[in-house]
Amino acid sequence: MIYKDVYKECPVFEDSFFMLRPVKDEDAADLLLVYSDEKAVPFFNSDNCHGDDFHYTAIERMQQALEFWKQSYQNGWFVRWAAVDKKTQKAIGTIELFRREADDYFTDCGLLRLDVRSDYETAEKISRIVQLILRPAFELFSCSKIAAKAVPSAQERIAALKSLGFSASPETLVGHDGTLYKDYFVLFRS
């Protein structure tokens, strides 16, 4: 399929279980359950995010994050999709993607960030969600590889990424302030 500029027309992806669609203001209550989930927060990728750890406990903070995500989309910085469970029609997480250009290994790279509620942190569910966006991401973000972070304790996430063809990378991502980040898995365009 040929996609248009993702920052002009954001596509929706779905299968019979999940849908990825742009985040909406109405997602705030559902997403607060994700970002206040203390079991889930340690698996979120907050590398290079100016100190935001994505642990939100107030609806106002969640609304501010949603507003920032929408502004970031309008500015062409990144796209944030809501991951919706089609059975419950609730947002159970988000996927962020953007093209990264840098002076390190992770250049010409689609950086994928996945945040899901802890009850969705299973290899099967993560694999289903990521699979929806994985192949289109190479075209949408004109990149040669996709990278996703999975800390060693995220065994279900690691299993999901490996099942999708990702491999652990020994390389470190260099942050805008020189901070080094590790625990990335990479999939190359085939």
Side-chain angles (χ1 to χ4, degrees), residues 67-115:
E67 187 58 35
F68 176 71
W69 296 342
K70 290 187 301 177
Q71 288 174 359
S72 296
Y73 175 77
Q74 292 165 355
N75 290 324
W77 298 338
F78 60 79
V79 180
R80 183 75 71 143
W81 283 271
V84 177
D85 183 322
K86 290 177 80 172
K87 184 176 181 182
T88 64
Q89 293 298 303
K90 302 282 186 190
I92 53 80
T94 66
I95 282 188
E96 175 184 300
L97 253 163
F98 63 93
R99 179 186 168 86
R100 185 172 190 272
E101 290 293 329
D103 292 327
D104 64 16
Y105 175 82
F106 295 95
T107 193
D108 185 26
C109 179
L111 197 63
L112 184 151
R113 291 187 168 125
L114 173 67
D115 305 337

Side-chain angles (χ1 to χ4, degrees), residues 39-47 121 148-159 161 181-185:
K39 292 179 185 174
V41 171
F43 300 138
F44 300 168
N45 179 355
S46 61
D47 292 356
E121 186 73 30
K149 183 170 181 131
V151 295
S153 60
Q155 290 300 305
E156 292 289 320
R157 187 171 292 233
I158 291 169
L161 292 172
Y181 300 102
K182 58 183 184 170
D183 301 323
Y184 281 89
F185 287 73

Side-chain angles (χ1 to χ4, degrees), residues 18-82:
F18 296 102
M19 176 191 307
L20 299 178
R21 57 145 174 83
V23 292
K24 302 176 184 176
D25 292 337
E26 305 87 269
D27 294 327
D30 291 345
L31 290 178
L32 183 60
L33 296 175
V34 176
Y35 290 95
S36 66
D37 184 342
E38 293 185 7
K39 292 179 185 174
V41 171
F43 300 138
F44 300 168
N45 179 355
S46 61
D47 292 356
N48 224 20
C49 290
H50 306 283
D52 191 344
D53 65 0
F54 299 99
H55 184 216
Y56 308 146
T57 57
I59 194 71
E60 296 80 14
R61 181 62 186 98
M62 189 72 249
Q63 290 166 333
Q64 289 170 350
L66 282 163
E67 187 58 35
F68 176 71
W69 296 342
K70 290 187 301 177
Q71 288 174 359
S72 296
Y73 175 77
Q74 292 165 355
N75 290 324
W77 298 338
F78 60 79
V79 180
R80 183 75 71 143
W81 283 271

